Amino acid sequence: MKKNTRSIMSIIKGQATFEFTIPYYKEIEGKSFYSPIFSTADNMFWQLEYQPNDPEDLHCCLVFLTAIPNPEEAASTHFWRDRANVEASLFIKTPSYNKSYIITTHDYSVRGKSWGKSFDKTKNYSPVTIGVTFINSDIELKGYNSVLTARLETKDITETWGRQLDVPENSDVLFNVKDGVIYANKSILSDRSEYFSGFFKGRWAEISKHDVGSGSTDTTIEHIIIDVPDISKVVFLEMLRYIYTDEVRFNLVPSIEIFRIADKYLLTKLRQKARVEVFKRLNNKNAMSVLFNEAWKWNDLKDDIINFIVDNFQEMKDTPEYKKLSAEYKGHPAGIEIFQEILDRLVNKQILK
């Protein structure tokens, strides 16, 4: 919501404070409010969230401080060490109420990147101010960082490139996938992918002539034919879309499918994006099935999920999913090895404690 929101930044005795006032409380009652993104260093971005209703206490509201990952953090499943020693104070203010809580931002990661505190709910429709004071004296205040602002020109270019994909008359490559065909451009694929560059140089594909267009505008175009019988159209198209635009839509295709195809076609950055996305979507009910069905084939992805299982073992061991797989693991090609790794890490974790 953009309506008349007031923002203030200040530094007093080495403490950086960011606060955001919501003038018309009644108009956002029942809705969450998000502050603009702000930064405390060149590569350290944050955002505040205000939830008018605490689901666990009807008399309270919630304020969260959330880390907005920079490019390096977004590609990592590990803790973000640069944030580990940040100490901050979350606060909320109204004309009749002023309360704050100290938080420490240890163990930030792509899965756990926010802290929340519960505050008494205001009893009228007066303005509400939420904010955070970063206490560390060595914080380098940068304020609002324009790097994170979406630029229309960039989006236009991305959309333009995306529109060139799967257009028969503008293509010279045809992929026969499991459930259809996809058209692409050899020069784009070669320029953007080492795999396809080497593939086309090797001349391993069939060349065929196809008529495109309709009626009097028919034209004949030579297409290089590549058979990909083991991958569905929606997955392969999303992989090609990444090659064309550097963007991937994990809401359309399961992240594990993107990981598999990125690994096959040597798309390192896409593979890492998908790896992080798989990790973000893990929970106590699906971690074991993801591990046994797919992730065991790749050491790094397997390690991510085993670490998740070990970290959440007390809650996970009582789930039906865990009990089922623990009873059937000996029939899996890597079942004994996987359970041994889980056991070894559980033992090491207890020793370290």
Side-chain angles (χ1 to χ4, degrees), residues 14-65:
Q15 297 186 358
T17 297
F18 300 81
E19 64 178 52
F20 306 90
T21 299
I22 309 160
Y24 302 110
Y25 172 77
K26 187 174 182 179
E27 295 187 9
I28 66 159
E29 189 171 13
K31 300 178 181 178
S32 295
F33 170 83
Y34 298 87
S35 76
I37 293 172
F38 53 94
S39 65
T40 52
D42 283 332
N43 238 0
M44 194 174 292
F45 308 104
W46 311 88
Q47 188 172 42
L48 289 170
E49 177 185 354
Y50 171 69
Q51 292 186 7
N53 300 306
D54 182 345
E56 298 182 359
D57 189 340
L58 297 178
H59 301 291
C60 294
C61 59
L62 294 168
V63 177
F64 291 90
L65 175 67

Side-chain angles (χ1 to χ4, degrees), residues 39 63 101-102 128 138 144 152 183 235 277 297 328 337 352:
S39 65
V63 177
Y101 291 102
I102 299 292
V128 176
D138 60 346
Y144 300 96
L152 183 61
Y183 295 91
V235 173
E277 195 68 22
K297 302 170 187 174
E328 301 173 351
E337 175 188 338
L352 291 174

Side-chain angles (χ1 to χ4, degrees), residues 215-226:
S216 60
T217 60
D218 282 355
T219 58
T220 299
I221 298 178
E222 283 192 349
H223 283 94
I224 299 173
I225 307 297
I226 303 175

Side-chain angles (χ1 to χ4, degrees), residues 12 35 143 188 200 247 272 329:
I12 301 176
S35 76
I188 294 175
F200 291 125
E247 292 185 352
Q272 182 62 15
Y329 74 93

Side-chain angles (χ1 to χ4, degrees), residues 306 310 336-352:
I306 289 179
V310 170
I336 296 176
E337 175 188 338
I338 290 171
F339 266 90
Q340 187 61 53
E341 285 192 49
I342 293 173
L343 179 61
D344 290 345
R345 294 190 200 186
L346 284 169
V347 171
N348 289 337
K349 187 176 181 180
Q350 291 300 318
I351 291 175
L352 291 174

